[in-house]
Amino acid sequence: MKLLYGRMLADKLDGEHGLPRPRLQDLMQRFPGVLAEVRSRRREGEYGFYELGEQAETVAAIRRFAEGVGQAYDHVLVLGIGGSALGTKALVNALRPPAWNELDDEAREFYPRITILENVDPTSIAAALRRIDPRRVLVNVISKSGGTAETLAQYLVVRAWLDQALGPDAAVRHLAFTTDRSKGPLRELANREGIAALEVPAGVGGRFSVLTPVGLLPAALVGIDIDGLVSGARRAVQKAEHESLLANPAALYAALHWAADAWLGAKIHVLMPYSDRLRELAAWYVQLWAESLGKRTDRRGSVVHTGPTPQGALGATDQHSQVQLFMEGPYDKVVTFVRLEHHTEDVVIPSREGLPEEVAYLQGHTLGELLNVEQEATSAALAKMGRMNGTLVLPGLSAESVGELIMFFQLATGFAGAWYGVNPFDQPGVELGKRLTFAAMGRPGFAKEASPRSGGGAPADIAE
Ligand code: PA5
């Protein structure tokens, strides 16, 4: 994987915008301090996700588990939210053929279908449970804390559905939990009922957990090469050990994005893959960048209200939607493209007699070629308009390249935490909303919270 970053720099743009090259020198000089901070926090156990490139035993255990149960089920139902769902969606989107669930058994090589429920929208859940045969499903309930209201509510609904169809004893054989090794309600339920349970490593937070059993188990169940994912991740970690900023792509991505935000006011960070199969990866990145870097206070406790706003886009589709804004709107964005050198499959645009020349020029090219040409053209056009952008080039979509890309973004987020001076691993900002929900839903111990239902937080002004 390569990071093309020239078009972040003023001398490759319109001369007026972008990062002046001497500023890159500044970043290079400051990088040893950032690297030292990351290394020291790693030693203290904060950056646990670095270890996920070296987990041969876990991978083998997951593979055994998946192979053992694989034959018995033809549908995997994943319940989770946030970091417990987005990564799995990204893996399935990237590494299983499009419309996986619509393929017949042979086309799926007899691997199961998969449904990932990441919300408590009753319409989606009711529809999924009507569609899935409870006799043939493995339900993987994923929650690191084991106490997330949405996931537990999903579980209770799905558990009642299983119990009713199969009886409570048989239902247990259709469940696998992925949760903390010893803490939390899910672990307690697993212990009490003898439900199979895999561990989320203690030092790895939700949005950094796709390369733990959180993402690896569902991935293995549907036939994704999880060894490949992990070896790609290992390659990214090795590159991230480089002490020179320019030889360390994840650190460079973080430094350039921080500089664009802090020095040039480019606070909107767009990730725009030119591949339908990376659409969900962009959604995963949005959570990673937003929840890790959007913070009220810095590491020293000073109020800073800092953090870039990540945004997902899809090429070429969003050339006809968002690119107008990127080209001519405020200079507040950095766009990162992802381009595949080789598409898993390519399609030749056929020739046809008598076409007008505005159509005929397309003949004989391929769709993959058109997609990549459009990516480069959009990047060049943005540069001409003084718009900072970079491109991540992947050789193609394989378990290795996707593992490397995922770990690249996790590493970049870890480095960015150090540049922004914030803790990228907590999310205190989501706590208040959770407490208000608990109060409104009658959870013991939360009655005193001003709940939306009791009027404390309800908007008084209504327009209809
Ligand atoms: O990144 C995070 O920590 C969060 O997005 C969590 O993944 C999300 O809140 C779900 O938490 P849990 O896995 O504990 O159910």
Side-chain angles (χ1 to χ4, degrees):
M1 195 178 88
K2 289 182 284 203
L3 171 63
L4 313 183
Y5 64 92
R7 289 173 178 157
M8 293 293 292
L9 302 174
D11 54 24
K12 297 279 175 64
L13 302 182
D14 60 350
E16 265 184 67
H17 299 95
L19 210 60
R21 205 166 274 272
R23 284 303 186 96
L24 184 59
Q25 297 293 330
D26 289 353
L27 291 173
M28 287 159 68
Q29 275 161 16
R30 291 171 65 169
F31 178 56
V34 167
L35 187 60
E37 181 184 337
V38 169
R39 286 184 173 162
S40 122
R41 293 192 186 281
R42 266 175 80 185
R43 281 193 295 277
E44 288 157 16
E46 254 193 41
Y47 281 62
F49 69 88
Y50 267 73
E51 313 311 320
L52 300 176
E54 304 286 349
Q55 45 168 346
E57 271 177 38
T58 307
V59 168
I62 291 173
R63 239 191 303 108
R64 275 197 305 276
F65 184 89
E67 278 157 17
V69 297
Q71 298 301 312
Y73 305 101
D74 53 31
H75 208 115
V76 176
L77 175 60
V78 174
L79 309 181
I81 196 164
S84 288
L86 287 161
T88 304
K89 288 182 76 180
L91 291 180
V92 173
N93 179 215
L95 295 170
R96 294 292 73 190
W100 174 253
N101 283 353
E102 288 162 36
L103 302 178
D104 64 21
D105 289 348
E106 214 159 298
R108 295 193 328 275
E109 295 174 13
F110 298 92
Y111 286 111
R113 297 187 167 89
I114 184 163
T115 300
I116 301 162
L117 292 177
E118 53 172 340
N119 201 352
V120 284
D121 187 321
T123 316
S124 316
I125 297 202
L129 298 188
R130 270 194 300 273
R131 219 169 43 233
I132 298 169
D133 179 351
R135 293 165 305 172
R136 304 287 300 158
V137 72
L138 178 69
V139 181
N140 185 198
V141 188
I142 308 178
S143 172
K144 167 145 190 188
S145 63
T148 300
E150 294 89 342
T151 308
L152 291 177
Q154 288 177 331
Y155 168 64
L156 292 175
V157 170
V158 170
R159 180 64 199 265
W161 170 75
L162 284 176
D163 283 359
Q164 197 188 15
L166 313 170
D169 292 341
V172 165
R173 290 196 294 278
H174 290 253
L175 289 164
F177 292 172
T178 307
T179 190
D180 186 83
R181 173 207 287 255
S182 53
K183 295 191 302 247
L186 267 192
R187 178 58 64 179
E188 193 186 322
L189 289 172
N191 291 344
R192 202 190 296 164
E193 291 198 66
I195 295 169
L198 288 90
E199 277 173 34
V200 189
V204 182
R207 56 193 172 274
F208 292 85
S209 70
V210 52
L211 299 174
T212 72
V214 166
L216 295 181
L217 175 63
L221 286 166
V222 296
I224 291 172
D225 168 17
I226 61 172
D227 294 274
L229 282 172
V230 169
S231 84
R234 183 159 57 243
R235 189 160 57 216
V237 172
Q238 282 158 1
K239 289 188 194 172
E241 300 292 4
H242 258 285
E243 312 223 336
S244 148
L245 184 63
L246 299 188
N248 187 329
L252 182 59
Y253 178 94
L256 291 170
H257 279 74
W258 171 79
D261 175 351
W263 293 341
L264 305 173
K267 295 190 178 306
I268 298 176
H269 295 172
V270 180
L271 184 66
M272 187 167 182
Y274 271 65
S275 163
D276 286 347
R277 298 178 71 182
L278 293 175
R279 187 197 283 262
E280 297 295 342
L281 190 121
W284 167 84
Y285 164 82
V286 165
Q287 187 224 7
L288 183 70
W289 208 241
E291 214 171 27
S292 303
L293 302 176
K295 298 290 150 82
R296 178 175 170 271
T297 57
D298 65 13
R299 288 271 195 186
R300 289 174 308 215
S302 307
V303 175
V304 288
H305 294 296
T306 194
T309 299
Q311 187 172 324
L314 180 71
T317 308
D318 282 321
Q319 284 180 210
H320 302 265
S321 162
Q322 301 190 55
V323 166
Q324 167 64 30
L325 172 70
F326 302 165
M327 289 284 283
E328 297 189 352
Y331 286 87
D332 59 358
K333 296 174 197 67
V334 177
V335 180
T336 302
F337 300 103
V338 185
R339 181 175 79 221
L340 307 180
E341 264 167 354
H342 300 288
H343 294 272
T344 315
E345 216 175 339
D346 210 345
V347 174
V348 177
I349 304 172
S351 304
R352 208 176 164 79
E353 288 290 307
L355 288 174
E357 63 181 21
E358 306 92 298
V359 184
Y361 74 97
L362 291 167
Q363 302 175 104
H365 293 288
T366 71
L367 294 179
E369 187 187 353
L370 176 62
L371 197 57
N372 287 3
V373 165
E374 291 205 45
Q375 185 275 316
E376 172 51 25
T378 306
S379 167
L382 285 171
K384 218 167 172 180
M385 300 295 277
R387 310 296 171 145
M388 287 181 283
N389 70 91
T391 302
L392 285 162
V393 183
L394 265 61
L397 273 189
S398 65
E400 283 84 357
S401 66
V402 171
E404 184 175 354
L405 186 63
I406 284 174
M407 185 55 93
F408 165 87
F409 281 123
Q410 295 188 168
L411 293 158
T413 307
F415 284 118
W419 283 102
Y420 278 94
V422 299
N423 179 355
F425 305 114
D426 63 3
Q427 52 283 327
V430 299
E431 286 309 313
L432 179 58
K434 282 189 193 169
R435 290 205 306 274
L436 294 175
T437 303
F438 293 153
M441 296 295 282
R443 180 170 165 178
F446 290 85
K448 287 212 182 94
E449 300 284 351
S451 84
R453 201 170 277 177
S454 67
D461 310 315
I462 298 170
E464 283 189 64

